[in-house]
Every structure is written in C-alpha cells, then in structure tokens.
C-alpha cells in the first residue's frame, strides 16, 4: 500500500512539475508551483534546496523501484541544478548546500565542493557549530543538522560529532526535549521557535552517530508535541512545506535503527501521517494533490507549492521503507 502511494506521488509530481530548464535539451528541474506562473514556467523562481529534496525523492524512488529511465533522470537533474545555479554547486546558505550534498552523495555524485564550504563554515563563536549563511551571525539546527549527517556519511565523524554536540548542548530544551531553532551569536539570544524541520535534522544526526539516547528522546518529544492526533503537523507553504517531510524521513530511519517503544512510536507516526495525507489528497493532473496540513483536506492555499508536494512525497517514500 505505502509503496503504491509513493509511486502515485512520484507520478503526480513528475507530471506536474518536472520540465526542461530554459527549454534546453537534456535538462530537467522541478517547477516551483503548479499551475505554474509565467516565471515558474522558465524556472525563474529558483529554490535551490527544494530541488535538493526533489532529487532526494528521485533517489528514494530508485531504491524502491529501480529503472534505467529514472536513473537517467537523476543524472540529468543533478547536472541541471548546477546549470541553473549558474555553473556552480554552492550558494550562500550552508543549510541549502548541506541538503544538496546529502542528495548528491546518495546519487553517487562528487560532493567535495560542498563539503569544502561546510568545513569552512565552522567557527568557535557561540561555542562551535556552523553558520546559517555567509555573512550572518546566526547558527542554527537547520544548517548544523544536515551538515552533521553529511559529514558522518562521508566518514568525517569528528566534525559530525562536533556539530551534533553543539546542537545537543545549545539547542535542546531541557524540559521538553524539543530542539530550538538557533542561536544569535553576538547577543547569545536563543531563538526558541519549534519547527518539525529542526527535530528531523537533529534526529538524523543522532542516528548517524549512534547517539541512541538523544534519538530516543527526540522521538518522544515529537510524539508528545509535534503530532496532534498522531499526525505530524504541517508548517504552511513555502519552505515550511518541506518541514514535516524531513522529519518523516528521519523518523523512518529511527523506526529501523532504534529498539523498544521509541522505534514503535516513530513507525506509527510515519504510517499514520501517510494514511492521513493520502486520505486528504484530491485528484489533479497526473495523480493526487496533497495538502500542506496532512490532517486536513486538499487543496489548500499552499497546495500549489512544489515544497508541499515534495514534502508529501518524502513522507510516502519514508512510509514505503517501513512496509
């Protein structure tokens, strides 16, 4: 069932969103909205990190049901990211680069240019960690989490552990176990906003480093505070459309790598969220159109965003690994 839902999500998103870049042969990226605005038709609206997650979903699908055709799309997609990014893999946001690095590494591509940027972003300011973006004075979970996962996966365990330890000592609420957003280094202000995104990347880093207690604590916190009615809550459209999907990806890993009640809780959160999202989808061109809030019906004001649709696809691919 969940594998079938993942395949449905893939067909729908590929049909509605994947198009050539500037009409150039051999290129393909995801349009940022559907139905597309004139600017979105020509990929003028450029969301680097949305494309990274779309690539990651294509890799998920290739693991689920490998085909030569999709493998070719993954190659074209990877090259098209660099083309649309004006001939380079990097940008000014370390979180964006970490996400592309994770997707590219899973796709078997060279990620050294991205790793070099991430290595250069670490400083002792604020106790350690990397910056959110170049020229900024903010360090946060959205940059340190995926960077830690990437460093761990390429064997740079010491740096991965430094990033994880900074998050664990600085950003975890001692009362709830939830992960706060970040730290403004100059005045030491903690930004205590709670995003599903932050829980997901912290959980992913803990799992990569076999920090079992921290991972279990995060699963418990998510179950208690981020999933009303047992369904992971959405965080709107735009960038927020990806947040719950990111958390679902790492909850699925937790379900496979942890033991005991936390493994069961992680599994239940992913599968119940997938059922809710599928139930509340509506039919559109190519297949289901998903809601930004999985417990409420589509379409909603954010359903046209690529981020929302890819977030749902992330969820279904995560659920498929638990089927």
């Amino acid at each position: 069932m969940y594998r079938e839902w993942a395949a449905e999500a893939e067909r729908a998103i590929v049909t509605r969103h994947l198009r050539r870049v500037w009409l150039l042969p051999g290129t393909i990226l995801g349009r940022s909205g559907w139905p597309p605005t004139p600017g979105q038709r020509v990929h003028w609206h450029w969301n680097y990190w949305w494309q990274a997650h779309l690539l990651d979903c294509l890799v998920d699908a290739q693991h689920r049901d490998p085909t030569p055709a999709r493998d070719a799309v993954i190659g074209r997609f990877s090259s098209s990211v660099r083309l649309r990014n004006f001939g380079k893999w990097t940008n000014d946001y370390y979180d964006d680069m970490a996400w592309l690095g994770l997707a590219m590494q899973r796709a078997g591509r060279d990620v050294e240019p991205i790793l070099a940027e991430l290595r250069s972003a670490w400083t002792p300011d604020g106790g350690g960690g990397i910056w959110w973006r170049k020229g900024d004075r903010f360090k946060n979970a959205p940059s340190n989490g995926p960077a830690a996962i990437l460093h761990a996966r390429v064997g740079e365990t010491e740096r991965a552990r430094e990033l994880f330890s900074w998050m664990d000592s600085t950003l975890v609420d001692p009362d709830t176990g939830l992960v706060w957003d970040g730290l403004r280094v100059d005045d030491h202000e903690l930004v205590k906003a709670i995003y599903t995104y932050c829980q997901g990347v912290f959980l992913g880093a803990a799992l990569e480093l076999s920090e079992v207690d921290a991972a279990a604590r995060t699963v418990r916190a998510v179950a208690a505070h981020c999933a009303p009615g047992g369904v992971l809550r959405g965080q709107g459209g735009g960038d927020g459309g990806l947040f719950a999907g990111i958390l679902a990806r790492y909850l699925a890993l937790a379900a496979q790598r942890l033991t005991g009640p936390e493994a069961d809780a992680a599994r239940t959160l992913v599968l119940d969220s997938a059922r809710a999202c599928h139930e509340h989808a509506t039919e559109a061109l190519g297949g289901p159109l998903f809601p930004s809030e999985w417990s409420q019906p589509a379409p909603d004001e954010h359903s046209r965003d690529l981020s929302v649709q890819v977030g749902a696809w992330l969820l279904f691919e995560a659920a498929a690994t638990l089927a």
Side-chain angles (χ1 to χ4, degrees):
M1 176 172 69
Y2 300 106
R3 291 172 62 88
E4 293 171 1
W5 292 353
E8 289 177 354
E10 178 186 9
R11 285 193 297 270
I13 292 164
V14 166
T15 299
R16 292 195 293 261
H17 290 273
L18 262 63
R19 295 294 186 275
R20 290 190 296 177
V21 181
W22 306 324
L23 302 179
L24 294 173
T27 63
I28 193 165
L29 285 177
R31 286 174 171 170
S32 294
W34 180 85
T37 64
Q40 289 167 347
R41 288 181 182 276
V42 295
H43 299 281
W44 183 259
H45 189 230
W46 173 233
N47 290 100
Y48 174 110
W49 82 291
W50 295 13
Q51 304 294 333
H53 285 285
L54 179 48
L55 176 59
D56 226 5
C57 282
L58 288 167
V59 175
D60 285 339
Q62 189 68 355
H63 285 296
R64 170 176 46 80
D65 179 28
T67 68
R70 192 189 297 104
D71 187 57
V73 169
I74 288 170
R76 291 167 56 200
F77 195 103
S78 301
S79 299
S80 299
V81 168
R82 185 177 184 181
L83 172 70
R84 177 58 187 83
N85 203 45
F86 302 112
K88 60 183 182 178
W89 296 114
T90 60
N91 71 4
D92 288 340
Y93 290 80
Y94 294 108
D95 54 343
D96 288 11
M97 289 187 279
W99 286 121
L100 183 61
L102 283 167
M104 296 283 287
Q105 192 259 350
R106 293 185 69 221
R109 269 57 181 183
D110 177 31
V111 295
E112 180 55 33
I114 289 172
L115 283 167
E117 291 280 349
L118 297 178
R119 293 185 199 112
S120 72
W122 187 93
T123 74
D125 304 79
I130 67 172
W131 302 107
W132 170 46
R133 63 180 176 182
K134 296 179 181 179
D136 202 85
R137 300 290 294 172
F138 186 52
K139 292 185 173 182
N140 62 1
S143 59
N144 282 270
I149 297 168
L150 180 58
H151 283 301
R153 288 182 178 176
V154 301
E156 297 180 0
T157 308
E158 182 177 353
R159 176 50 53 87
R161 194 165 294 283
E162 287 175 343
L163 301 180
F164 170 79
S165 297
W166 178 81
M167 289 188 292
D168 194 35
S169 62
T170 308
L171 299 183
V172 176
D173 183 344
D175 295 324
T176 65
L178 292 170
V179 181
W180 295 320
D181 185 32
L183 174 70
R184 301 193 191 281
V185 168
D186 291 339
D187 62 6
H188 304 288
E189 178 194 356
L190 282 166
V191 178
K192 295 185 177 181
I194 299 299
Y195 300 116
T196 46
Y197 182 156
C198 299
Q199 318 316 308
V201 296
F202 181 86
L203 175 60
L207 292 168
E208 291 299 324
L209 293 167
S210 298
E211 294 283 351
V212 174
D213 290 344
R217 179 189 68 212
T218 306
V219 171
R220 293 193 298 270
V222 166
H225 300 285
C226 299
V231 177
L232 296 175
R233 71 165 186 259
Q235 298 198 271
D239 288 347
L242 285 164
F243 288 6
I246 291 167
L247 176 53
R249 175 184 292 282
Y250 295 108
L251 282 169
L253 287 177
Q256 297 168 72
R257 297 184 185 180
L258 298 179
T259 59
E262 289 83 11
D264 293 338
R267 177 186 177 88
T268 299
L269 284 167
V270 173
L271 298 185
D272 285 357
S273 295
R275 284 192 289 269
C277 184
H278 190 268
E279 176 186 347
H280 289 106
T282 190
E283 281 302 307
L285 176 68
L289 181 74
F290 303 107
S292 61
E293 189 69 61
W294 295 335
S295 61
Q296 299 177 15
D300 57 49
E301 62 178 314
H302 305 299
S303 290
R304 65 178 305 277
D305 287 356
L306 173 65
S307 58
V308 169
Q309 300 308 305
V310 171
W313 186 6
L314 271 166
L315 169 66
F316 291 122
E317 294 291 357
T321 67
L322 304 177

